[in-house]
Amino acid sequence: MDQKQMFKPMIEFNQTAFSNAFDVTVLVQDQFEKAAYAALDQTDWLPAEGRKAIETWSEAFKVGRKNFKQQIDNGFEQAEKLFSI
C-alpha cells in the first residue's frame, strides 16, 4: 500500500475525532453560557457595565473559538493536499 494512501484514512479519522470533540465542547460551553446568563439575569447587584463586559468577553471567546476551528480545519486541508500528491 502506498504511504500516501495509508495516511489519508488516518487524517480523516483525526479530523472526524477533532470535529466531534470540538462540537461537544461547543455544546457544553453554550449550555454553560445559557445557565450563566440565567443566573446573571437574577442578580440585582451587577451593574450594567459589568454585564456588558461579560457579554463582550463571551463574544470574544466565541470569535476565538471559531478562529481556532478554522485554523485546525486549514491544517487538515493542508495535510490532505500534502498526501494527495
Side-chain angles (χ1 to χ4, degrees), residues 17-32:
F18 171 77
S19 182
N20 290 340
F22 185 82
D23 291 344
V24 169
T25 302
V26 169
L27 184 68
V28 169
Q29 289 172 343
D30 288 345
Q31 192 67 26
F32 178 76

Side-chain angles (χ1 to χ4, degrees), residues 11-71:
I11 292 170
E12 289 173 353
F13 172 78
N14 283 305
Q15 186 174 15
T16 302
F18 171 77
S19 182
N20 290 340
F22 185 82
D23 291 344
V24 169
T25 302
V26 169
L27 184 68
V28 169
Q29 289 172 343
D30 288 345
Q31 192 67 26
F32 178 76
E33 180 185 20
K34 289 178 188 176
Y37 279 130
L40 285 175
D41 288 341
Q42 297 176 5
T43 61
D44 294 332
W45 53 267
L46 185 65
E49 57 270 1
R51 178 156 176 102
K52 179 68 176 163
I54 292 171
E55 289 172 355
T56 302
W57 175 65
S58 177
E59 290 303 314
F61 183 78
K62 287 180 184 178
V63 169
R65 185 175 66 191
K66 180 183 169 191
N67 290 339
F68 174 71
K69 174 80 164 123
Q70 288 174 341
Q71 292 298 321

